Amino acid sequence: MVDFKVKTASGYNVAYLIHVGDYSGQNMWRSEFSQLERWAKTRRLATGKRIMYFIDKWGEKPKNKRRSVAALEIRGKAEPEGKIQIMKLPRQKVVSISFDPNKVSSDLVYHGLESWLESCAYKQTARSRELYRGNPWKNARAYADCEVQVPIKRK
């Protein structure tokens, strides 16, 4: 069972890396998150959620030039360094779906979101994002608790 929830998502301070290339499955951001985790650890920054999203829409750019973001929530002051950048993802209203990718297809979740947005009182205001409350490559429980958020506002 997958439920759509309209809620206000927290703002997140994140360190992030841009990934350029075709979508290659769940492991595509693994090296970026490993790099972000090492960077945060050496700076003694507490970390939180892993957040992933695409900047470019499908079909907008060639697959090998499509950009996406791997963002690691950080707590504490930090400055950009090299390819690692810092930003604040604002607090905002979202439609949220939490699901276990081992039990429910992510394609089904995203198609369901598209259908829900077509028939509801809201419209999408920014790209959807996936959030994990831990490292999904090292923690099966974190992987099994995927949350998709789509920023929205009233039509």
Side-chain angles (χ1 to χ4, degrees):
M1 177 93 170
V2 176
D3 291 326
F4 298 89
K5 295 178 190 169
V6 174
K7 68 179 192 176
T8 301
S10 301
Y12 304 103
N13 291 317
V14 299
Y16 70 96
L17 286 166
I18 302 287
H19 174 90
V20 178
D22 190 16
Y23 177 69
S24 58
Q26 185 63 31
N27 282 322
M28 132 176 174
W29 293 285
R30 189 174 191 160
S31 66
E32 285 86 354
F33 279 106
S34 293
Q35 186 177 345
L36 289 166
E37 289 167 356
R38 283 190 306 274
W39 174 87
K41 186 176 183 177
T42 62
R43 282 147 191 81
R44 297 186 179 164
L45 294 169
T47 61
K49 295 182 177 162
R50 277 91 179 139
I51 304 167
M52 305 160 221
Y53 63 92
F54 287 91
I55 297 171
D56 300 313
K57 293 181 182 177
W58 296 91
E60 200 173 75
K61 287 190 171 192
K63 290 179 182 182
N64 64 339
K65 295 188 181 197
R66 196 175 292 146
R67 297 169 299 157
S68 61
V69 172
L72 178 64
E73 181 183 15
I74 56 172
R75 296 179 190 100
K77 291 257 183 195
E79 296 294 324
E81 186 177 329
K83 291 183 178 185
I84 296 176
Q85 298 298 307
I86 307 295
M87 74 173 154
K88 172 133 177 119
L89 295 174
R91 180 182 165 151
Q92 59 194 163
K93 186 171 285 223
V94 299
V95 60
S96 168
I97 298 176
S98 293
F99 71 103
D100 180 347
N102 294 313
K103 296 179 181 176
V104 178
S105 163
S106 59
D107 286 344
L108 182 63
V109 168
Y110 282 101
H111 288 299
L113 272 167
E114 288 174 18
S115 295
W116 186 86
L117 286 165
E118 287 176 8
S119 62
C120 73
Y122 298 97
K123 67 178 179 177
Q124 187 170 348
T125 60
R127 305 292 289 152
S128 62
R129 57 192 179 208
E130 289 185 15
L131 293 87
Y132 296 88
R133 287 179 178 78
N135 186 327
W137 297 282
K138 294 180 181 177
N139 182 334
R141 196 178 271 166
Y143 180 73
D145 187 22
C146 176
E147 180 182 4
V148 175
Q149 294 179 349
V150 179
I152 56 174
K153 71 176 184 181
R154 289 219 173 257
K155 289 182 181 173

